[in-house]
Amino acid sequence: MSRRSNPNADKPLHKTKGASREHRVIYVAVEGERTEVDYLTYLKKDLLDSKRITLHVLAKRNGMKPLEAVDRVLAQAEEPRRDELWAMFDRDQHEGIPQAFKKAGAENVKIAYSSPSFDLWLLLHFTGFNSGRQSGSSTIVHEQLRRQRGFETFDIRGDKSVRGERVEALRDKHEIAARNAKKLANDCPTTTCSDQAGHDDDHCPPLRRDPCTDVWRLLVSLKIIDA
């Protein structure tokens, strides 16, 4: 996939029809049914300036596969008011990730991709991550996340919610998480990858971006953090 099809490149996406330039409408389709939804709900309720941006979160019971998330948000392409379309999905053990990236790039859908999982983004609010390739496994990420205040029981008995004390533990740490996420891009073995340019699509395909997370780019679009 060439840089011309980079889904997160800075280029005009779907233009908002009938809406003022000051107010933007963003749709995000999420792979997961709980953690990502809770996190985006927190952003929407506590941090988003609703006078400037409207955020629509699209989810499905039992979750979606990566390509399904791309298709789900593309269903909003004909909405009269939409400025950006995003798909948020993880590496996990999913198949079809290259295909999801390819379709997103062709259809101007931006991607918030995490490897091994979105839970890495949560961990980066507290600390950097230098444990090497994870190959889709979140075991080490969860072990380190459970050492953080509020997350001691995360993913125990299936509890991967982001509410209450977990939200409070994340509060005011978004800039820290973004810096730690950018460092992962800078540390990528592909020397043409960087925090500013992102991953080189010609030489660093998605499955080689391990570990990584681009969730911070969504927060930039939401005007929660600076680029």
Side-chain angles (χ1 to χ4, degrees), residues 3-100:
R3 279 196 178 277
R4 288 192 297 272
S5 61
N6 179 358
N8 290 339
D10 293 329
K11 58 184 178 180
L13 297 179
H14 304 268
K15 295 182 178 179
T16 298
K17 300 177 181 179
S20 70
R21 291 180 180 272
E22 291 75 18
H23 192 91
R24 299 165 63 239
V25 180
I26 297 176
Y27 286 85
V28 183
V30 298
E31 167 207 325
E33 65 170 328
R34 170 60 61 85
T35 312
E36 296 94 326
V37 174
D38 282 356
Y39 180 78
L40 292 177
T41 298
Y42 152 56
L43 297 185
K44 186 174 180 178
K45 290 176 60 179
D46 291 12
L47 300 177
L48 198 65
D49 183 351
S50 61
K51 293 181 179 179
R52 300 176 63 195
I53 296 175
T54 295
L55 172 64
H56 297 285
V57 180
L58 311 174
K60 176 184 175 183
R61 186 175 182 180
N62 297 323
M64 293 184 271
K65 296 184 183 300
L67 188 57
E68 188 178 0
V70 174
D71 288 336
R72 179 68 180 86
V73 80
L74 274 174
Q76 309 302 317
E78 298 306 317
E79 285 292 323
R81 299 192 62 177
R82 76 279 181 275
D83 292 281
E84 291 184 12
L85 304 179
W86 285 78
M88 178 183 285
F89 56 83
D90 303 342
R91 170 67 181 96
D92 289 328
Q93 301 297 326
H94 291 302
E95 298 179 354
I97 288 176
Q99 293 85 347

Side-chain angles (χ1 to χ4, degrees), residues 1-224:
M1 181 169 60
S2 70
R3 279 196 178 277
R4 288 192 297 272
S5 61
N6 179 358
N8 290 339
D10 293 329
K11 58 184 178 180
L13 297 179
H14 304 268
K15 295 182 178 179
T16 298
K17 300 177 181 179
S20 70
R21 291 180 180 272
E22 291 75 18
H23 192 91
R24 299 165 63 239
V25 180
I26 297 176
Y27 286 85
V28 183
V30 298
E31 167 207 325
E33 65 170 328
R34 170 60 61 85
T35 312
E36 296 94 326
V37 174
D38 282 356
Y39 180 78
L40 292 177
T41 298
Y42 152 56
L43 297 185
K44 186 174 180 178
K45 290 176 60 179
D46 291 12
L47 300 177
L48 198 65
D49 183 351
S50 61
K51 293 181 179 179
R52 300 176 63 195
I53 296 175
T54 295
L55 172 64
H56 297 285
V57 180
L58 311 174
K60 176 184 175 183
R61 186 175 182 180
N62 297 323
M64 293 184 271
K65 296 184 183 300
L67 188 57
E68 188 178 0
V70 174
D71 288 336
R72 179 68 180 86
V73 80
L74 274 174
Q76 309 302 317
E78 298 306 317
E79 285 292 323
R81 299 192 62 177
R82 76 279 181 275
D83 292 281
E84 291 184 12
L85 304 179
W86 285 78
M88 178 183 285
F89 56 83
D90 303 342
R91 170 67 181 96
D92 289 328
Q93 301 297 326
H94 291 302
E95 298 179 354
I97 288 176
Q99 293 85 347
F101 266 80
K102 183 176 181 179
K103 185 166 188 177
E107 299 289 347
N108 291 339
V109 173
K110 296 189 175 187
I111 292 177
Y113 173 67
S114 299
S115 177
S117 67
F118 175 82
D119 306 335
L120 172 63
W121 170 250
L122 300 178
L123 175 63
L124 295 180
H125 285 69
F126 307 99
T127 183
F129 188 76
N130 58 3
S131 296
R133 294 180 62 85
Q134 303 301 299
S135 302
S137 171
S138 291
T139 299
I140 294 176
V141 171
H142 289 167
E143 289 174 353
Q144 295 189 19
L145 186 55
R146 283 193 288 267
R147 297 172 191 163
Q148 312 304 323
R149 180 179 62 84
F151 285 83
E152 295 87 349
T153 60
F154 188 82
D155 199 36
I156 293 178
R157 297 190 180 92
D159 179 12
K160 297 185 68 176
S161 62
V162 181
R163 300 176 182 178
E165 64 177 349
R166 291 178 183 171
V167 164
E168 293 307 314
L170 297 175
R171 197 177 299 279
D172 299 326
K173 296 185 177 70
H174 300 95
E175 297 283 358
I176 295 172
R179 286 196 298 270
N180 287 330
K182 291 177 183 181
K183 188 176 186 301
L184 291 177
N186 281 333
D187 291 345
C188 182
T190 304
T191 57
T192 49
C193 297
S194 71
D195 61 319
Q196 293 300 319
H199 289 276
D200 185 340
D201 295 312
D202 290 326
H203 301 98
C204 189
L207 297 185
R208 288 181 59 185
R209 304 171 192 179
D210 182 10
C212 77
T213 178
D214 290 326
V215 175
W216 67 273
R217 296 185 183 275
L218 174 60
L219 271 67
V220 171
S221 281
L222 295 174
K223 306 297 183 185
I224 291 172

